[in-house]
């Protein structure tokens, strides 16, 4: 139950004074509370756990991490 | 899906594994704290691909597994009361209390409902003003913000028939307790990524310094876990013990300040008994005095609870990383996910359930 998964914000609405969002998880859509990530925008990825976005997923950082992995491998090959 | 597929790329996984093999010159024992990571490690067989001698010890980070037996028994007693709608995450239903589980209480006629989010329980409370609606609020720092917001909303919207049975647990005190144990073999920690998405990394430098252990914040996809292990092994080999972040795309150093402010308002630190482990000082959250009217333990006077654990179950040792699940004699025999003796066999994040799901067939090769 501790798993949190990234999803993409499709639309943002207000309900009972609470910011909610429709979030897409690879085709499955769920209503998610956005109160903890108030500046998340439509189109952005958020990390969602039990119906709450708990963090935004930083796309640039994700790309950098993957690029670092690529580089790790290449560096090693050069040293061989 | 974006940002899931990329982080299980087999070619990059191979490269990371090569790096780990190149870095490791000695045996090391690393603990992944989080049950979600245990699940991922066993499912992908990551522990079997590591250099010989680099061992993954599975930690106590499965909230379903460590929720104290007494709290489960209280949940069973409250759920059985007339006029109560008891709401819970699905994996709590089969957790054995002393003798029975929530599923059995439900079968006996109680109104026990599985919800995806605590907000669903609040909705049920608003739709059923003549009933008492109780949500079973368990979990680590990852889950606590959801429960905190729900109680906050209940107060704001004046939903007086809603309450929370709270049993939150906290990761940093558990790390300290593991390191203080005389039987401790752990030399480094992979810290739970989503706990840090909320809390940030600020609690870890004092632990890393005091116990001289590297602590690397780690995500959940295969590449994330391999990178966490790689960074940890590199530190260990260099004799360093620092806090690293191998999951920066979801973990800023400060965590989520909005969520942390809400947690500070709704909860206060308390001692907590961890099932199978025992009392760890300051390792839990309960509702702060202002929110006590929403505390199910105050609303429902549940007394006369006598807890009784299965005498066969060794989940306490499993949770402390002292034995692997298949070393329990009941594993896969008297104890299976359909008929669990301990909570570690119930939750998909429990180590026993993970071994049962993915390792049944090659038990001989790992024992
Ligand atoms: S296999 Fe079952 S009985 Fe053995 S430790 Fe795990 S949960 Fe307990």
């Amino acid at each position: 139950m501790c798993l949190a998964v990234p999803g993409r914000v499709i639309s943002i609405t207000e309900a009972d004074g609470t910011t909610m969002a429709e979030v897409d998880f690879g085709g499955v859509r769920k209503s998610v509370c956005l109160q903890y990530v108030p500046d998340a925008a439509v189109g952005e990825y958020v990390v969602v756990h039990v119906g709450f976005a708990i963090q935004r997923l930083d796309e640039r950082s994700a790309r950098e991490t993957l690029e670092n992995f690529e580089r790790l491998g290449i560096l090693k090959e050069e040293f061989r | 899906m974006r940002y899931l597929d990329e982080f299980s790329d087999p070619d990059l996984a191979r490269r990371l594994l090569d790096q780990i093999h190149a870095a490791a010159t000695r045996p090391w024992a690393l603990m992944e704290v989080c049950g979600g990571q245990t699940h991922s490690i066993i499912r992908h067989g990551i522990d079997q691909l590591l250099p010989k001698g680099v061992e993954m010890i599975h930690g106590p980070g499965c909230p379903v597994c460590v929720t104290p037996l007494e709290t489960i028994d209280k949940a069973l007693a409250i759920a059985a009361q007339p006029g109560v709608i008891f709401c819970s995450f699905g994996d709590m239903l089969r957790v054995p209390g002393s003798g029975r589980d929530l599923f059995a209480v439900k079968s006996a006629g109680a109104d026990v409902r599985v919800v995806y989010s605590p907000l669903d329980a609040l909705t049920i409370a608003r739709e059923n003003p003549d009933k008492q609606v109780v949500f079973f609020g368990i979990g680590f720092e990852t889950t606590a913000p959801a429960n905190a917001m729900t109680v906050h909303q209940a107060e704001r919207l004046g939903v007086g028939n809603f309450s929370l049975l709270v049993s939150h647990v906290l990761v940093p005190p558990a790390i300290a307790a593991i390191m203080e144990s005389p039987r401790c073999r752990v030399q480094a920690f992979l810290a739970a990524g989503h706990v840090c998405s909320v809390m940030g990394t600020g609690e870890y430098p004092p632990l890393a310094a005091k116990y001289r252990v590297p602590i690397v914040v780690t995500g959940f996809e295969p590449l994330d876990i391999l990178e966490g292990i790689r960074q940890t092994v590199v530190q260990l080999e260099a004799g360093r013990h620092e806090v690293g972040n191998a999951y920066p795309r979801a973990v800023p150093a400060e965590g989520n300040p909005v969520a942390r402010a809400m947690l500070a308002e709704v909860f206060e630190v308390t001692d907590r008994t961890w099932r199978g482990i025992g009392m760890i000082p300051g390792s839990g959250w309960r509702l702060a005095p202002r929110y006590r009217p929403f505390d199910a333990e105050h609303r429902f006077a549940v007394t006369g609870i006598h807890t009784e654990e299965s005498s066969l179950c060794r989940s306490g040792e499993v949770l402390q990383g002292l034995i692997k699940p298949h070393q329990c004699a009941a594993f896969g025999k008297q104890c299976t996910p359909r008929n669990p003796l301990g909570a570690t066999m119930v939750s998909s994040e429990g180590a026993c359930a993970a071994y049962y799901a993915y390792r049944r067939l090659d038990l001989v090769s790992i024992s």
Side-chain angles (χ1 to χ4, degrees), chain B residues 35-212:
Chain B
Q37 291 168 338
T38 303
H39 184 89
S40 196
I41 286 168
I42 303 305
R43 171 164 182 210
H44 298 287
I46 289 172
D47 54 330
Q48 295 178 323
L49 298 169
L50 294 176
K52 211 169 156 46
V54 175
E55 183 194 355
M56 298 309 299
I57 300 180
H58 315 309
C62 161
V64 174
C65 305
V66 300
T67 299
L69 183 55
E70 196 190 349
T71 308
I72 306 278
D73 286 349
K74 274 186 194 155
L76 298 173
I78 292 171
Q81 292 191 14
V84 167
I85 302 177
F86 194 88
C87 302
S88 168
F89 296 127
D91 34 9
M92 292 307 284
L93 260 63
R94 281 217 175 270
V95 174
S98 301
R100 55 181 187 162
D101 56 22
L102 274 171
F103 198 76
V105 175
K106 180 179 165 71
S107 304
D111 195 345
V112 176
R113 302 189 192 179
V114 170
V115 293
Y116 159 67
S117 163
L119 280 182
D120 299 340
L122 189 61
T123 303
I124 292 172
R126 295 174 82 184
E127 289 167 357
N128 295 274
D130 55 328
K131 295 277 171 66
Q132 281 293 328
V133 175
V134 182
F135 181 71
F136 203 173
I138 65 148
F140 280 92
E141 294 94 325
T142 322
T143 317
N147 292 336
M149 180 67 77
T150 305
V151 171
H152 179 78
Q153 299 276 36
E155 190 200 48
R156 190 173 64 84
L157 300 167
V159 188
N161 64 326
F162 176 84
S163 62
L164 198 64
L165 181 61
V166 194
S167 186
H168 278 302
V169 276
L170 305 174
V171 168
I175 289 184
I178 288 162
M179 290 313 298
E180 297 282 350
S181 159
R183 293 162 79 187
C184 174
R185 296 191 296 125
V186 180
Q187 294 166 295
F189 288 92
L190 306 186
H194 293 142
V195 164
C196 299
S197 293
V198 173
M199 299 303 290
T201 55
E203 295 172 287
Y204 296 106
L207 289 169
K210 178 170 181 194
Y211 298 109
R212 307 182 65 81

Side-chain angles (χ1 to χ4, degrees), chain B residues 249-271:
Chain B
R249 70 185 185 282
V251 180
E254 72 281 9
N256 183 328
V258 187
R260 288 172 66 188
M262 180 64 81
L263 291 168
E265 185 196 316
V266 173
F267 294 124
E268 65 182 14
V269 170
T270 181
D271 294 344

Side-chain angles (χ1 to χ4, degrees), chain A residues 10-78:
Chain A
I10 300 297
S11 61
I12 298 174
T13 50
E14 281 299 297
D16 280 334
T18 304
T19 310
M20 300 292 291
E22 196 183 6
V23 175
D24 179 86
F25 302 91
V28 180
R29 291 190 177 187
K30 278 200 152 109
S31 170
V32 164
C33 178
L34 216 55
Q35 286 288 112
Y36 289 132
V37 226
D39 49 353
V42 169
E44 278 190 290
Y45 281 79
V46 287
V47 179
V48 176
H49 176 63
V50 298
F52 286 75
I54 53 168
Q55 196 49 265
R56 48 202 320 167
L57 195 78
D58 184 28
E59 297 197 31
R60 201 172 54 157
S61 167
R63 256 197 315 276
E64 277 170 17
T65 302
L66 288 166
E67 281 163 16
N68 282 341
F69 293 166
E70 299 269 3
R71 247 195 313 270
L72 273 177
I74 288 162
L75 270 179
K76 182 171 182 263
E77 274 152 33
E78 281 173 358

